[in-house]
Amino acid sequence: MQRARELYHGNDFGGALEILRPLAGAHPDQTDILFLTGISAIGAGKKTKNAKTKNNFFAEAVAAFRGILNDRPELTRVRLELARAFFLKGDDALSQEQFERVLAGDIPPAMAQNIRRFLSAIRARRRWRAHFDFAIAPDSNLNASDDTDTVVINGLPFRLNDDPPRESGAGFVFSAGGDYYFPLSKHWRLLAGGDISRTEYRTSNFDSSNAALFFGPEWRPSPTAEAALLLDWRRFFDGNNRYHRDEPGARLRAGWRPGRKWSLNGAIHWR
């Protein structure tokens, strides 16, 4: 064990693993053996250029750390190394899960900040994102009734028929969409995407649908902030698909994560 530690600290990770692997089944302190095996495998993987060999080292590290956590799930340092091994292996969903489990506990601020850097890197290298939403949509004037009785067209006044009384009601809005990201540099990437939405009320007279496509650059000035300026095209359909209209425009959207439990997001649309 002492010799394996010396080799590890001397960056001879392969030499350390040659000693550690035969000890894995016989040494009385399996936690110590497996932990040193895991961090040595990570070191060997980072030094290796061959993609398949690199992946095998990271997989060995994952197996070692999991072997410890099966019996000692409270070991925060081991869970962090497992998350890092998943990150290096490219298993971002599993890496994020382990990082967030540690982040949810009582940990020092410096450790929390480091974890947020990893989580930000995971979000930054994610190539796509999808969402599904629904909401209740109350409206006090579904039929757009107003008190106007006269309109002027080309200088001539026209008296309107009596409008029906205002109708109110509550409906449901369903929407879904997705984004695809193409990285350009450390702080910039292009994104393209689309979304669809449907609003349903008790009667179909006031139902509507929207379909949109958008494209543009996104700027990430820090691990916790992002902003995008997008060209936007949207098509509106009435509830019975009797007519539609196209609405080209633009949107500016931004997001900020001030802490581990909160995020703020906003958007401005012009059509």
Side-chain angles (χ1 to χ4, degrees), residues 8 19 27 44 68 109 114 121 129 136 175 184 200 220 234 245 253 267:
Y8 170 80
I19 295 174
H27 198 277
I68 299 172
N114 194 41
R129 177 174 59 187
I136 298 174
S175 64
L184 298 176
E200 292 275 355
R220 296 177 57 85
R234 184 173 296 275
R245 69 174 182 267
R253 73 183 194 191

Side-chain angles (χ1 to χ4, degrees), residues 36-57:
L36 191 54
T37 299
I39 59 176
S40 296
I42 285 179
K46 292 174 71 174
K47 289 182 64 176
T48 303
K49 297 189 180 299
N50 182 273
K52 183 177 180 180
T53 305
K54 183 188 293 288
N55 190 71
N56 289 339
F57 278 125

